[in-house]
Amino acid sequence: MTLNDYASRVNRRLNEIPTVVAQDRFQIGEMPWLLNRSMRYSLEAGGKRLRPSMLLAAVDMLGGDAEDALDFACAVEMIHTYSLIHDDLPGMDDDTLRRGRPTNHVVFGVGQAILAGDGLLNGAFETMLNHACAHPERAARYLAAIREIATGAGVTGMIGGQVMDLHCERSGIADDHALTYIQYGKTACMFIYPLRAAAMLSGANEEDLKALTDYGRAFGLLFQATDDLLDVTGTQADMGKTLGKDAQSGKLTCVSAYGLEGTRRRVAQLHSEALAALERFGDRAAFFRELVDAMVDRTK
Ligand code: GRG
């Protein structure tokens, strides 16, 4: 299976999830059409579906049931999309372009964009819990997976990283520890913890769990380092967002800390670490090897 195959499966299932299914009313007890429209606007704007695809590929690699894991993959994409909507708000990165379209708050207004993000975040947990309640015999595995996803998106993960990102940008803190804290939290945790959730869903052993955690960390830090490079060297058409903003806003990034060449060296080092983490999986890890190879010189 390729990234495109997994992404298509995620897109198909997303369209069946009650929080996402199109609706045009606001009957008592139902979500209002406006919320539905604003959530779908960002969800359907054409993201790469990297995180949910990696979750499904890890379940396949570990011999689990990828069909059964689909709702967890969709939940990860819903959480990721909420984080992009909130990240673009005027009080955060203040951006007007995302996934090649005007950002959610530009179209729907700041208040509605906050609520679209909230709706996607809550909807992600409703989706996973609905699945768990429908299959109580596997509840222990589902609960463990939900805990991983909540941790990755939470205060020691994505939210914590974003808090320090904003704080460092505004206070001028710029050291190695702060940089790694931010990039581990806001970016790597949304790779690490979905992979750990895949391990929970598949009943993986401790060694496999550790290897996936190590891979997720190296992959996530590499992904953010290439994002920092692309903010300087990429094109708006490929990236679908405004570029050059990091330097303009004085953001702490790999490029501001290490320069372009130093960042490229960091990418090469993280690439080796990601490949080393996959060794124990042998040929079964082909998807993850190809994915991290492709990330080294990605253009979008
Ligand atoms: C809690 C109020 C509140 C807000 C949360 C945590 C957060 C806001 C934002 C952090 C998310 C963020 C923008 C992380 C950076 C990671 C990154 C490079 C995201 C882009 O990911 P891609 O390239 O995007 O996979 P697509 O569009 O392809 O899905």
Side-chain angles (χ1 to χ4, degrees), residues 45-51 77 80-89 92-93 98-99 114 118 121 153 157-163 165 185-188 190-191 223-224 227 239 241 298 300:
K48 294 183 283 296
R49 309 305 197 217
L50 265 181
R51 298 152 188 82
E77 186 62 22
H80 169 61
T81 303
Y82 120 77
S83 82
L84 300 182
I85 294 173
H86 281 193
D87 190 54
D88 291 332
L89 288 168
M92 295 215 194
D93 260 13
R98 170 71 71 179
R99 291 178 165 172
I114 292 172
D118 294 342
L121 176 60
M158 183 175 71
I159 295 174
Q162 180 79 351
V163 164
D165 194 18
K186 78 168 183 177
T187 307
M190 282 300 286
F191 291 103
F223 186 79
Q224 186 58 55
D227 207 68
M239 293 296 281
K241 63 178 183 180
R298 71 185 175 107
K300 52 184 168 185

mmCIF file of all heavy atoms in Angstrom, residues 45-51 77 80-89 92-93 98-99 114 118 121 153 157-163 165 185-188 190-191 223-224 227 239 241 298 300, ligand 1:
data_model
loop_
_atom_site.group_PDB
_atom_site.id
_atom_site.type_symbol
_atom_site.label_atom_id
_atom_site.label_comp_id
_atom_site.label_asym_id
_atom_site.label_seq_id
_atom_site.Cartn_x
_atom_site.Cartn_y
_atom_site.Cartn_z
ATOM 1 N N ALA A 45 -9.892 20.245 2.501
ATOM 2 C CA ALA A 45 -9.084 21.163 1.687
ATOM 3 C C ALA A 45 -7.860 20.486 1.068
ATOM 4 O O ALA A 45 -7.055 21.137 0.417
ATOM 5 C CB ALA A 45 -8.663 22.364 2.527
ATOM 6 N N GLY A 46 -7.699 19.168 1.300
ATOM 7 C CA GLY A 46 -6.636 18.458 0.585
ATOM 8 C C GLY A 46 -5.333 18.310 1.329
ATOM 9 O O GLY A 46 -4.259 18.487 0.756
ATOM 10 N N GLY A 47 -5.366 17.994 2.605
ATOM 11 C CA GLY A 47 -4.132 17.697 3.342
ATOM 12 C C GLY A 47 -3.516 16.382 2.858
ATOM 13 O O GLY A 47 -4.186 15.573 2.207
ATOM 14 N N LYS A 48 -2.265 16.165 3.198
ATOM 15 C CA LYS A 48 -1.548 14.965 2.730
ATOM 16 C C LYS A 48 -2.004 13.689 3.440
ATOM 17 O O LYS A 48 -1.677 12.596 3.027
ATOM 18 C CB LYS A 48 -0.035 15.150 2.964
ATOM 19 C CG LYS A 48 0.565 16.261 2.100
ATOM 20 C CD LYS A 48 2.068 16.386 2.287
ATOM 21 C CE LYS A 48 2.493 17.084 3.564
ATOM 22 N NZ LYS A 48 2.104 18.501 3.705
ATOM 23 N N ARG A 49 -2.683 13.842 4.593
ATOM 24 C CA ARG A 49 -3.167 12.684 5.383
ATOM 25 C C ARG A 49 -1.995 11.816 5.869
ATOM 26 O O ARG A 49 -2.115 10.577 5.965
ATOM 27 C CB ARG A 49 -4.142 11.798 4.587
ATOM 28 C CG ARG A 49 -5.285 12.509 3.913
ATOM 29 C CD ARG A 49 -6.101 13.350 4.861
ATOM 30 N NE ARG A 49 -7.402 13.711 4.334
ATOM 31 C CZ ARG A 49 -7.997 14.887 4.528
ATOM 32 N NH1 ARG A 49 -7.406 15.842 5.195
ATOM 33 N NH2 ARG A 49 -9.195 15.116 4.051
ATOM 34 N N LEU A 50 -0.854 12.473 6.140
ATOM 35 C CA LEU A 50 0.342 11.731 6.561
ATOM 36 C C LEU A 50 0.132 10.961 7.861
ATOM 37 O O LEU A 50 0.464 9.779 7.959
ATOM 38 C CB LEU A 50 1.475 12.727 6.837
ATOM 39 C CG LEU A 50 2.483 13.047 5.757
ATOM 40 C CD1 LEU A 50 3.496 14.037 6.309
ATOM 41 C CD2 LEU A 50 3.163 11.759 5.309
ATOM 42 N N ARG A 51 -0.387 11.655 8.881
ATOM 43 C CA ARG A 51 -0.468 11.043 10.222
ATOM 44 C C ARG A 51 -1.428 9.855 10.262
ATOM 45 O O ARG A 51 -1.050 8.798 10.777
ATOM 46 C CB ARG A 51 -0.814 12.129 11.256
ATOM 47 C CG ARG A 51 0.266 13.210 11.334
ATOM 48 C CD ARG A 51 -0.276 14.560 11.775
ATOM 49 N NE ARG A 51 0.732 15.618 11.668
ATOM 50 C CZ ARG A 51 1.012 16.251 10.517
ATOM 51 N NH1 ARG A 51 0.369 15.948 9.401
ATOM 52 N NH2 ARG A 51 1.944 17.171 10.478
ATOM 53 N N GLU A 77 -6.609 12.704 12.021
ATOM 54 C CA GLU A 77 -6.680 13.767 11.003
ATOM 55 C C GLU A 77 -7.587 14.911 11.469
ATOM 56 O O GLU A 77 -7.312 16.089 11.193
ATOM 57 C CB GLU A 77 -7.161 13.189 9.666
ATOM 58 C CG GLU A 77 -7.130 14.175 8.497
ATOM 59 C CD GLU A 77 -5.724 14.702 8.155
ATOM 60 O OE1 GLU A 77 -4.727 14.045 8.509
ATOM 61 O OE2 GLU A 77 -5.643 15.776 7.534
ATOM 62 N N HIS A 80 -5.506 16.929 13.870
ATOM 63 C CA HIS A 80 -4.491 17.682 13.116
ATOM 64 C C HIS A 80 -5.141 18.898 12.431
ATOM 65 O O HIS A 80 -4.605 20.020 12.478
ATOM 66 C CB HIS A 80 -3.847 16.735 12.098
ATOM 67 C CG HIS A 80 -2.979 17.407 11.085
ATOM 68 N ND1 HIS A 80 -1.858 18.133 11.433
ATOM 69 C CD2 HIS A 80 -3.072 17.484 9.717
ATOM 70 C CE1 HIS A 80 -1.292 18.617 10.330
ATOM 71 N NE2 HIS A 80 -2.015 18.246 9.285
ATOM 72 N N THR A 81 -6.310 18.700 11.836
ATOM 73 C CA THR A 81 -6.980 19.798 11.126
ATOM 74 C C THR A 81 -7.404 20.892 12.105
ATOM 75 O O THR A 81 -7.280 22.088 11.823
ATOM 76 C CB THR A 81 -8.183 19.260 10.319
ATOM 77 O OG1 THR A 81 -7.715 18.259 9.419
ATOM 78 C CG2 THR A 81 -8.863 20.368 9.532
ATOM 79 N N TYR A 82 -7.899 20.484 13.275
ATOM 80 C CA TYR A 82 -8.232 21.504 14.298
ATOM 81 C C TYR A 82 -6.992 22.331 14.643
ATOM 82 O O TYR A 82 -7.057 23.558 14.783
ATOM 83 C CB TYR A 82 -8.825 20.832 15.553
ATOM 84 C CG TYR A 82 -8.063 21.056 16.847
ATOM 85 C CD1 TYR A 82 -8.145 22.258 17.550
ATOM 86 C CD2 TYR A 82 -7.234 20.060 17.371
ATOM 87 C CE1 TYR A 82 -7.419 22.466 18.729
ATOM 88 C CE2 TYR A 82 -6.515 20.249 18.539
ATOM 89 C CZ TYR A 82 -6.609 21.456 19.211
ATOM 90 O OH TYR A 82 -5.890 21.661 20.357
ATOM 91 N N SER A 83 -5.837 21.653 14.767
ATOM 92 C CA SER A 83 -4.631 22.386 15.180
ATOM 93 C C SER A 83 -4.214 23.387 14.100
ATOM 94 O O SER A 83 -3.726 24.476 14.409
ATOM 95 C CB SER A 83 -3.486 21.421 15.524
ATOM 96 O OG SER A 83 -2.806 20.988 14.368
ATOM 97 N N LEU A 84 -4.437 23.031 12.832
ATOM 98 C CA LEU A 84 -4.084 23.969 11.750
ATOM 99 C C LEU A 84 -5.024 25.181 11.766
ATOM 100 O O LEU A 84 -4.589 26.323 11.604
ATOM 101 C CB LEU A 84 -4.156 23.260 10.388
ATOM 102 C CG LEU A 84 -3.222 22.053 10.200
ATOM 103 C CD1 LEU A 84 -3.372 21.476 8.797
ATOM 104 C CD2 LEU A 84 -1.763 22.422 10.455
ATOM 105 N N ILE A 85 -6.327 24.928 11.999
ATOM 106 C CA ILE A 85 -7.294 26.039 12.045
ATOM 107 C C ILE A 85 -6.907 27.007 13.166
ATOM 108 O O ILE A 85 -6.854 28.227 12.977
ATOM 109 C CB ILE A 85 -8.730 25.517 12.278
ATOM 110 C CG1 ILE A 85 -9.210 24.678 11.087
ATOM 111 C CG2 ILE A 85 -9.699 26.682 12.526
ATOM 112 C CD1 ILE A 85 -10.553 23.982 11.315
ATOM 113 N N HIS A 86 -6.613 26.465 14.345
ATOM 114 C CA HIS A 86 -6.266 27.331 15.483
ATOM 115 C C HIS A 86 -4.900 27.987 15.281
ATOM 116 O O HIS A 86 -4.712 29.145 15.645
ATOM 117 C CB HIS A 86 -6.306 26.520 16.789
ATOM 118 C CG HIS A 86 -7.699 26.308 17.310
ATOM 119 N ND1 HIS A 86 -7.976 25.853 18.572
ATOM 120 C CD2 HIS A 86 -8.904 26.508 16.714
ATOM 121 C CE1 HIS A 86 -9.288 25.775 18.739
ATOM 122 N NE2 HIS A 86 -9.867 26.153 17.621
ATOM 123 N N ASP A 87 -3.961 27.262 14.702
ATOM 124 C CA ASP A 87 -2.624 27.823 14.463
ATOM 125 C C ASP A 87 -2.687 29.050 13.550
ATOM 126 O O ASP A 87 -1.878 29.968 13.676
ATOM 127 C CB ASP A 87 -1.737 26.736 13.834
ATOM 128 C CG ASP A 87 -0.274 27.150 13.769
ATOM 129 O OD1 ASP A 87 0.273 27.523 14.821
ATOM 130 O OD2 ASP A 87 0.324 27.106 12.679
ATOM 131 N N ASP A 88 -3.651 29.050 12.631
ATOM 132 C CA ASP A 88 -3.753 30.153 11.659
ATOM 133 C C ASP A 88 -4.466 31.388 12.223
ATOM 134 O O ASP A 88 -4.479 32.436 11.569
ATOM 135 C CB ASP A 88 -4.513 29.675 10.405
ATOM 136 C CG ASP A 88 -3.711 28.657 9.607
ATOM 137 O OD1 ASP A 88 -2.470 28.719 9.667
ATOM 138 O OD2 ASP A 88 -4.325 27.810 8.927
ATOM 139 N N LEU A 89 -5.059 31.287 13.398
ATOM 140 C CA LEU A 89 -5.845 32.399 13.952
ATOM 141 C C LEU A 89 -4.983 33.645 14.187
ATOM 142 O O LEU A 89 -3.764 33.523 14.431
ATOM 143 C CB LEU A 89 -6.475 31.967 15.286
ATOM 144 C CG LEU A 89 -7.632 30.975 15.193
ATOM 145 C CD1 LEU A 89 -7.967 30.414 16.582
ATOM 146 C CD2 LEU A 89 -8.858 31.623 14.567
ATOM 147 N N MET A 92 -2.533 33.561 16.981
ATOM 148 C CA MET A 92 -1.417 32.599 16.892
ATOM 149 C C MET A 92 -0.546 32.993 15.701
ATOM 150 O O MET A 92 0.079 34.030 15.719
ATOM 151 C CB MET A 92 -1.965 31.176 16.817
ATOM 152 C CG MET A 92 -2.697 30.802 18.108
ATOM 153 S SD MET A 92 -2.501 29.085 18.553
ATOM 154 C CE MET A 92 -3.791 28.972 19.782
ATOM 155 N N ASP A 93 -0.521 32.162 14.625
ATOM 156 C CA ASP A 93 0.378 32.496 13.513
ATOM 157 C C ASP A 93 -0.185 33.558 12.577
ATOM 158 O O ASP A 93 0.519 34.066 11.712
ATOM 159 C CB ASP A 93 0.728 31.230 12.720
ATOM 160 C CG ASP A 93 2.090 30.704 13.104
ATOM 161 O OD1 ASP A 93 2.621 31.164 14.131
ATOM 162 O OD2 ASP A 93 2.627 29.843 12.376
ATOM 163 N N ARG A 98 -3.978 28.406 3.738
ATOM 164 C CA ARG A 98 -3.673 27.073 4.286
ATOM 165 C C ARG A 98 -4.237 26.039 3.325
ATOM 166 O O ARG A 98 -5.360 26.159 2.866
ATOM 167 C CB ARG A 98 -4.310 26.927 5.667
ATOM 168 C CG ARG A 98 -4.289 25.562 6.267
ATOM 169 C CD ARG A 98 -2.918 25.112 6.717
ATOM 170 N NE ARG A 98 -2.462 25.814 7.894
ATOM 171 C CZ ARG A 98 -1.279 25.563 8.492
ATOM 172 N NH1 ARG A 98 -0.453 24.660 7.999
ATOM 173 N NH2 ARG A 98 -0.920 26.243 9.573
ATOM 174 N N ARG A 99 -3.455 25.020 3.062
ATOM 175 C CA ARG A 99 -3.867 23.970 2.139
ATOM 176 C C ARG A 99 -4.370 24.573 0.807
ATOM 177 O O ARG A 99 -5.329 24.098 0.206
ATOM 178 C CB ARG A 99 -4.937 23.056 2.776
ATOM 179 C CG ARG A 99 -4.376 22.190 3.916
ATOM 180 C CD ARG A 99 -5.407 21.312 4.616
ATOM 181 N NE ARG A 99 -4.768 20.265 5.426
ATOM 182 C CZ ARG A 99 -5.424 19.464 6.264
ATOM 183 N NH1 ARG A 99 -6.713 19.566 6.422
ATOM 184 N NH2 ARG A 99 -4.774 18.533 6.937
ATOM 185 N N ILE A 114 -12.695 29.207 15.663
ATOM 186 C CA ILE A 114 -12.346 28.587 16.955
ATOM 187 C C ILE A 114 -13.292 27.408 17.200
ATOM 188 O O ILE A 114 -12.871 26.305 17.576
ATOM 189 C CB ILE A 114 -12.453 29.614 18.102
ATOM 190 C CG1 ILE A 114 -11.359 30.682 17.966
ATOM 191 C CG2 ILE A 114 -12.347 28.914 19.469
ATOM 192 C CD1 ILE A 114 -11.508 31.854 18.943
ATOM 193 N N ASP A 118 -12.717 23.443 17.746
ATOM 194 C CA ASP A 118 -13.248 22.741 18.933
ATOM 195 C C ASP A 118 -14.112 21.552 18.505
ATOM 196 O O ASP A 118 -14.044 20.468 19.097
ATOM 197 C CB ASP A 118 -14.108 23.688 19.785
ATOM 198 C CG ASP A 118 -13.291 24.816 20.403
ATOM 199 O OD1 ASP A 118 -12.057 24.696 20.473
ATOM 200 O OD2 ASP A 118 -13.906 25.829 20.808
ATOM 201 N N LEU A 121 -11.949 18.695 17.337
ATOM 202 C CA LEU A 121 -11.248 18.043 18.448
ATOM 203 C C LEU A 121 -12.212 17.139 19.222
ATOM 204 O O LEU A 121 -11.933 15.968 19.469
ATOM 205 C CB LEU A 121 -10.649 19.105 19.376
ATOM 206 C CG LEU A 121 -9.970 18.586 20.647
ATOM 207 C CD1 LEU A 121 -8.816 17.652 20.307
ATOM 208 C CD2 LEU A 121 -9.457 19.748 21.505
ATOM 209 N N ALA A 153 -1.743 14.870 21.563
ATOM 210 C CA ALA A 153 -2.384 16.160 21.235
ATOM 211 C C ALA A 153 -2.412 17.101 22.440
ATOM 212 O O ALA A 153 -2.798 18.254 22.306
ATOM 213 C CB ALA A 153 -3.813 15.903 20.758
ATOM 214 N N GLY A 157 2.289 17.462 24.864
ATOM 215 C CA GLY A 157 2.559 17.217 23.449
ATOM 216 C C GLY A 157 2.301 18.465 22.622
ATOM 217 O O GLY A 157 2.933 19.499 22.836
ATOM 218 N N MET A 158 1.330 18.341 21.686
ATOM 219 C CA MET A 158 1.127 19.406 20.695
ATOM 220 C C MET A 158 0.768 20.748 21.338
ATOM 221 O O MET A 158 1.325 21.790 20.959
ATOM 222 C CB MET A 158 0.030 18.973 19.720
ATOM 223 C CG MET A 158 -0.219 19.958 18.614
ATOM 224 S SD MET A 158 -1.414 19.365 17.421
ATOM 225 C CE MET A 158 -2.937 19.446 18.351
ATOM 226 N N ILE A 159 -0.137 20.743 22.315
ATOM 227 C CA ILE A 159 -0.541 22.030 22.915
ATOM 228 C C ILE A 159 0.636 22.649 23.682
ATOM 229 O O ILE A 159 0.916 23.853 23.563
ATOM 230 C CB ILE A 159 -1.781 21.858 23.822
ATOM 231 C CG1 ILE A 159 -2.990 21.438 22.977
ATOM 232 C CG2 ILE A 159 -2.095 23.166 24.563
ATOM 233 C CD1 ILE A 159 -4.251 21.096 23.774
ATOM 234 N N GLY A 160 1.373 21.804 24.429
ATOM 235 C CA GLY A 160 2.542 22.307 25.165
ATOM 236 C C GLY A 160 3.573 22.920 24.224
ATOM 237 O O GLY A 160 4.144 23.993 24.504
ATOM 238 N N GLY A 161 3.823 22.253 23.102
ATOM 239 C CA GLY A 161 4.801 22.757 22.122
ATOM 240 C C GLY A 161 4.360 24.093 21.545
ATOM 241 O O GLY A 161 5.167 25.018 21.386
ATOM 242 N N GLN A 162 3.070 24.182 21.261
ATOM 243 C CA GLN A 162 2.540 25.429 20.679
ATOM 244 C C GLN A 162 2.639 26.581 21.681
ATOM 245 O O GLN A 162 2.943 27.719 21.315
ATOM 246 C CB GLN A 162 1.080 25.201 20.249
ATOM 247 C CG GLN A 162 0.405 26.403 19.627
ATOM 248 C CD GLN A 162 0.791 26.630 18.172
ATOM 249 O OE1 GLN A 162 1.702 25.991 17.655
ATOM 250 N NE2 GLN A 162 0.107 27.537 17.520
ATOM 251 N N VAL A 163 2.385 26.285 22.951
ATOM 252 C CA VAL A 163 2.485 27.310 24.000
ATOM 253 C C VAL A 163 3.907 27.885 24.033
ATOM 254 O O VAL A 163 4.118 29.108 24.042
ATOM 255 C CB VAL A 163 2.111 26.721 25.386
ATOM 256 C CG1 VAL A 163 2.581 27.629 26.518
ATOM 257 C CG2 VAL A 163 0.607 26.509 25.478
ATOM 258 N N ASP A 165 6.139 27.706 21.661
ATOM 259 C CA ASP A 165 6.419 28.348 20.367
ATOM 260 C C ASP A 165 6.005 29.819 20.443
ATOM 261 O O ASP A 165 6.788 30.731 20.128
ATOM 262 C CB ASP A 165 5.628 27.613 19.280
ATOM 263 C CG ASP A 165 6.089 27.968 17.884
ATOM 264 O OD1 ASP A 165 7.193 28.499 17.741
ATOM 265 O OD2 ASP A 165 5.339 27.704 16.920
ATOM 266 N N GLY A 185 7.215 18.859 20.735
ATOM 267 C CA GLY A 185 5.821 18.966 21.183
ATOM 268 C C GLY A 185 4.860 19.242 20.052
ATOM 269 O O GLY A 185 3.961 18.446 19.781
ATOM 270 N N LYS A 186 5.066 20.347 19.339
ATOM 271 C CA LYS A 186 4.008 20.762 18.401
ATOM 272 C C LYS A 186 3.965 19.869 17.146
ATOM 273 O O LYS A 186 2.913 19.740 16.534
ATOM 274 C CB LYS A 186 4.134 22.242 18.032
ATOM 275 C CG LYS A 186 5.198 22.565 17.017
ATOM 276 C CD LYS A 186 5.065 24.004 16.499
ATOM 277 C CE LYS A 186 6.117 24.244 15.437
ATOM 278 N NZ LYS A 186 6.044 25.558 14.824
ATOM 279 N N THR A 187 5.083 19.269 16.783
ATOM 280 C CA THR A 187 5.088 18.499 15.535
ATOM 281 C C THR A 187 5.337 17.000 15.758
ATOM 282 O O THR A 187 4.548 16.169 15.313
ATOM 283 C CB THR A 187 6.150 19.056 14.563
ATOM 284 O OG1 THR A 187 5.931 20.449 14.422
ATOM 285 C CG2 THR A 187 6.057 18.385 13.197
ATOM 286 N N ALA A 188 6.429 16.637 16.459
ATOM 287 C CA ALA A 188 6.785 15.207 16.533
ATOM 288 C C ALA A 188 5.736 14.397 17.296
ATOM 289 O O ALA A 188 5.464 13.239 16.943
ATOM 290 C CB ALA A 188 8.168 15.045 17.168
ATOM 291 N N MET A 190 2.605 14.516 17.233
ATOM 292 C CA MET A 190 1.479 14.086 16.406
ATOM 293 C C MET A 190 1.894 13.024 15.375
ATOM 294 O O MET A 190 1.078 12.561 14.568
ATOM 295 C CB MET A 190 0.799 15.281 15.738
ATOM 296 C CG MET A 190 -0.104 16.047 16.699
ATOM 297 S SD MET A 190 -1.474 15.026 17.392
ATOM 298 C CE MET A 190 -2.557 14.901 15.971
ATOM 299 N N PHE A 191 3.158 12.626 15.385
ATOM 300 C CA PHE A 191 3.599 11.430 14.663
ATOM 301 C C PHE A 191 3.835 10.287 15.661
ATOM 302 O O PHE A 191 3.422 9.156 15.439
ATOM 303 C CB PHE A 191 4.869 11.715 13.858
ATOM 304 C CG PHE A 191 4.638 12.643 12.702
ATOM 305 C CD1 PHE A 191 5.019 13.976 12.767
ATOM 306 C CD2 PHE A 191 4.001 12.200 11.549
ATOM 307 C CE1 PHE A 191 4.784 14.847 11.707
ATOM 308 C CE2 PHE A 191 3.761 13.056 10.479
ATOM 309 C CZ PHE A 191 4.149 14.391 10.567
ATOM 310 N N PHE A 223 10.604 16.188 9.871
ATOM 311 C CA PHE A 223 9.509 16.832 9.141
ATOM 312 C C PHE A 223 9.468 18.329 9.444
ATOM 313 O O PHE A 223 9.311 19.160 8.554
ATOM 314 C CB PHE A 223 8.184 16.169 9.528
ATOM 315 C CG PHE A 223 7.004 16.652 8.751
ATOM 316 C CD1 PHE A 223 6.755 16.181 7.468
ATOM 317 C CD2 PHE A 223 6.142 17.599 9.286
ATOM 318 C CE1 PHE A 223 5.667 16.646 6.739
ATOM 319 C CE2 PHE A 223 5.058 18.066 8.567
ATOM 320 C CZ PHE A 223 4.814 17.583 7.295
ATOM 321 N N GLN A 224 9.638 18.681 10.735
ATOM 322 C CA GLN A 224 9.603 20.099 11.106
ATOM 323 C C GLN A 224 10.838 20.832 10.579
ATOM 324 O O GLN A 224 10.749 21.980 10.143
ATOM 325 C CB GLN A 224 9.478 20.271 12.618
ATOM 326 C CG GLN A 224 9.289 21.717 13.038
ATOM 327 C CD GLN A 224 8.065 22.385 12.405
ATOM 328 O OE1 GLN A 224 6.962 21.878 12.538
ATOM 329 N NE2 GLN A 224 8.247 23.493 11.704
ATOM 330 N N ASP A 227 10.179 21.541 7.125
ATOM 331 C CA ASP A 227 9.178 22.617 7.072
ATOM 332 C C ASP A 227 9.866 23.977 7.245
ATOM 333 O O ASP A 227 9.544 24.941 6.541
ATOM 334 C CB ASP A 227 8.132 22.412 8.173
ATOM 335 C CG ASP A 227 6.793 23.017 7.807
ATOM 336 O OD1 ASP A 227 6.148 22.502 6.873
ATOM 337 O OD2 ASP A 227 6.405 24.025 8.437
ATOM 338 N N MET A 239 3.488 24.580 -1.279
ATOM 339 C CA MET A 239 3.215 24.462 0.164
ATOM 340 C C MET A 239 1.779 24.833 0.529
ATOM 341 O O MET A 239 1.287 24.442 1.584
ATOM 342 C CB MET A 239 4.191 25.335 0.968
ATOM 343 C CG MET A 239 5.635 24.862 0.910
ATOM 344 S SD MET A 239 5.863 23.236 1.666
ATOM 345 C CE MET A 239 5.877 23.641 3.408
ATOM 346 N N LYS A 241 0.665 27.529 1.593
ATOM 347 C CA LYS A 241 0.557 28.493 2.693
ATOM 348 C C LYS A 241 1.545 29.629 2.462
ATOM 349 O O LYS A 241 2.447 29.515 1.617
ATOM 350 C CB LYS A 241 0.813 27.800 4.038
ATOM 351 C CG LYS A 241 2.213 27.226 4.198
ATOM 352 C CD LYS A 241 2.395 26.604 5.581
ATOM 353 C CE LYS A 241 3.807 26.097 5.771
ATOM 354 N NZ LYS A 241 4.043 25.494 7.067
ATOM 355 N N ARG A 298 11.541 16.811 0.310
ATOM 356 C CA ARG A 298 10.181 17.123 -0.089
ATOM 357 C C ARG A 298 10.082 18.596 -0.522
ATOM 358 O O ARG A 298 10.862 19.436 -0.063
ATOM 359 C CB ARG A 298 9.200 16.835 1.046
ATOM 360 C CG ARG A 298 9.240 17.774 2.230
ATOM 361 C CD ARG A 298 8.322 17.310 3.336
ATOM 362 N NE ARG A 298 8.425 18.131 4.535
ATOM 363 C CZ ARG A 298 7.506 18.998 4.943
ATOM 364 N NH1 ARG A 298 6.407 19.174 4.224
ATOM 365 N NH2 ARG A 298 7.652 19.685 6.047
ATOM 366 N N LYS A 300 6.694 19.789 -0.681
ATOM 367 C CA LYS A 300 5.379 20.199 -0.136
ATOM 368 C C LYS A 300 5.000 19.369 1.081
ATOM 369 O O LYS A 300 5.620 18.372 1.352
ATOM 370 C CB LYS A 300 4.292 20.113 -1.185
ATOM 371 C CG LYS A 300 4.170 18.793 -1.935
ATOM 372 C CD LYS A 300 3.110 18.967 -2.969
ATOM 373 C CE LYS A 300 3.084 17.831 -3.976
ATOM 374 N NZ LYS A 300 2.175 18.015 -5.043
HETATM 375 C C1 GRG B 1 -5.037 24.567 21.711
HETATM 376 C C2 GRG B 1 -5.984 26.836 21.048
HETATM 377 C C3 GRG B 1 -5.145 25.639 20.725
HETATM 378 C C4 GRG B 1 -4.508 25.575 19.538
HETATM 379 C C5 GRG B 1 -3.692 24.450 19.121
HETATM 380 C C6 GRG B 1 -1.316 23.030 18.861
HETATM 381 C C7 GRG B 1 -1.676 23.993 17.829
HETATM 382 C C8 GRG B 1 -2.832 24.890 18.020
HETATM 383 C C9 GRG B 1 -0.984 24.111 16.693
HETATM 384 C C10 GRG B 1 0.219 23.321 16.408
HETATM 385 C C11 GRG B 1 0.071 22.635 15.083
HETATM 386 C C12 GRG B 1 1.096 22.976 14.052
HETATM 387 C C13 GRG B 1 0.784 24.008 13.035
HETATM 388 C C14 GRG B 1 2.221 22.260 14.004
HETATM 389 C C15 GRG B 1 3.215 22.401 12.960
HETATM 390 C C16 GRG B 1 3.308 21.093 12.220
HETATM 391 C C17 GRG B 1 3.149 21.208 10.742
HETATM 392 C C18 GRG B 1 4.347 21.471 9.912
HETATM 393 C C19 GRG B 1 1.951 21.046 10.189
HETATM 394 C C20 GRG B 1 1.668 20.900 8.729
HETATM 395 O O1 GRG B 1 1.468 19.515 8.498
HETATM 396 P P1 GRG B 1 1.287 18.897 7.046
HETATM 397 O O2 GRG B 1 2.326 19.416 6.116
HETATM 398 O O3 GRG B 1 -0.120 19.531 6.621
HETATM 399 O O4 GRG B 1 1.168 17.407 7.173
HETATM 400 P P2 GRG B 1 -1.272 18.944 5.666
HETATM 401 O O5 GRG B 1 -2.031 20.167 5.231
HETATM 402 O O6 GRG B 1 -0.656 18.204 4.502
HETATM 403 O O7 GRG B 1 -2.108 18.051 6.525
#
